[in-house]
């Protein structure tokens, strides 16, 4: 997991996001709202880097490419926040919300970067090769589920050998 370049932004903006709430329509009394957790979702960190030289812009471009654009996730140095302590947990991870925007002004660049703040647990999933001749265990880190639970695991017509062993759980 790559770390965002240690560049101090000239401005930061922070969107607190929304509560984890879904809404269902009813005939008689209007919408019914369900709160699924005590966390807010959809935090956005927007950073503006003004009058930067080419090497600073190249660091951000390179990081964008190394983190696979909006797909990969990464850490952000605490120096990004300046004096704004405890805005988000220090162990939070981030993902690009959109492509970094650059405006060239001669030899200087203005760069705007929008990041999604992914808080909570990073789930580790393990693939077990089962009772084959050489069982293989592969560990990988991924944020597999986003949105509201419950999550359903749908399969084809194949019957698993032991349905009771198919567990989907996460934790630390």
């Amino acid at each position: 997991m790559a770390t965002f370049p240690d560049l101090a932004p000239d401005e930061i903006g922070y969107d607190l996001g929304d509560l984890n709430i879904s809404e269902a329509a009813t005939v008689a009394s209007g919408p019914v709202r369900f709160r699924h957790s005590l966390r807010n979702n959809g935090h956005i960190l927007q950073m503006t880097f003004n009058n930067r030289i080419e090497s600073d812009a190249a660091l951000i471009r390179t990081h964008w490419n190394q983190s696979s654009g909006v797909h990969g996730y990464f850490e952000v140095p605490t120096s990004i926040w300046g004096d704004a302590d405890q805005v988000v947990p220090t162990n939070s991870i981030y993902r690009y919300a959109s492509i970094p925007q650059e405006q060239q002004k001669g030899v200087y660049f203005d760069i705007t970067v929008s990041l999604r703040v992914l808080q909570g647990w990073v789930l580790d999933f393990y693939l077990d090769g089962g009772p084959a001749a050489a069982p293989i265990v592969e560990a990988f880190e991924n944020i597999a589920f986003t949105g509201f639970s419950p999550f359903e695991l749908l399969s084809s017509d194949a019957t698993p050998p032991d349905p009771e062993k198919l567990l989907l759980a996460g934790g630390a």
Side-chain angles (χ1 to χ4, degrees):
M1 174 174 14
T3 302
F4 191 81
D6 194 5
L7 301 171
D10 296 303
E11 297 176 26
I12 61 171
Y14 183 67
D15 181 358
L16 295 175
D18 293 322
L19 291 172
N20 195 358
I21 294 176
S22 65
E23 190 173 284
T26 62
V27 177
S29 64
V32 175
R33 293 178 182 90
F34 300 95
R35 186 168 182 176
H36 299 282
S37 72
L38 299 176
R39 286 191 168 270
N40 285 9
N41 291 332
H43 303 270
I44 300 287
L45 169 64
Q46 185 162 349
M47 300 179 288
T48 305
F49 302 90
N50 295 320
N51 299 321
R52 298 303 173 109
I53 58 175
E54 170 66 29
S55 61
D56 290 349
L59 285 173
I60 294 173
R61 282 187 222 121
T62 302
H63 183 263
W64 163 263
N65 290 328
Q66 287 177 346
S67 62
S68 304
V70 296
H71 178 69
Y73 56 93
F74 49 88
E75 295 174 344
V76 168
T78 55
S79 62
I80 294 291
W81 291 98
D83 293 332
D85 292 336
Q86 300 298 322
V87 176
V88 297
T90 56
N91 62 347
S92 294
I93 54 177
Y94 299 77
R95 178 179 286 158
Y96 283 99
S98 61
I99 299 170
Q101 301 297 313
E102 292 183 22
Q103 181 182 7
Q104 185 177 9
K105 304 184 310 184
V107 295
Y108 295 106
F109 293 82
D110 287 346
I111 306 164
T112 302
V113 178
S114 292
L115 304 177
R116 294 191 185 281
V117 183
L118 309 174
Q119 295 179 342
W121 300 104
V122 175
L123 301 178
D124 291 331
F125 293 94
Y126 296 94
L127 298 176
D128 186 351
I136 299 171
V137 176
E138 284 289 327
F140 64 97
E141 242 184 292
N142 200 349
I143 299 172
F145 304 107
T146 59
F148 304 110
S149 63
F151 298 104
E152 296 181 40
L153 183 60
L154 303 175
S155 62
S156 65
D157 296 334
T159 305
D162 189 359
E164 294 175 4
K165 287 189 177 181
L166 182 60
L167 298 176
L168 183 59

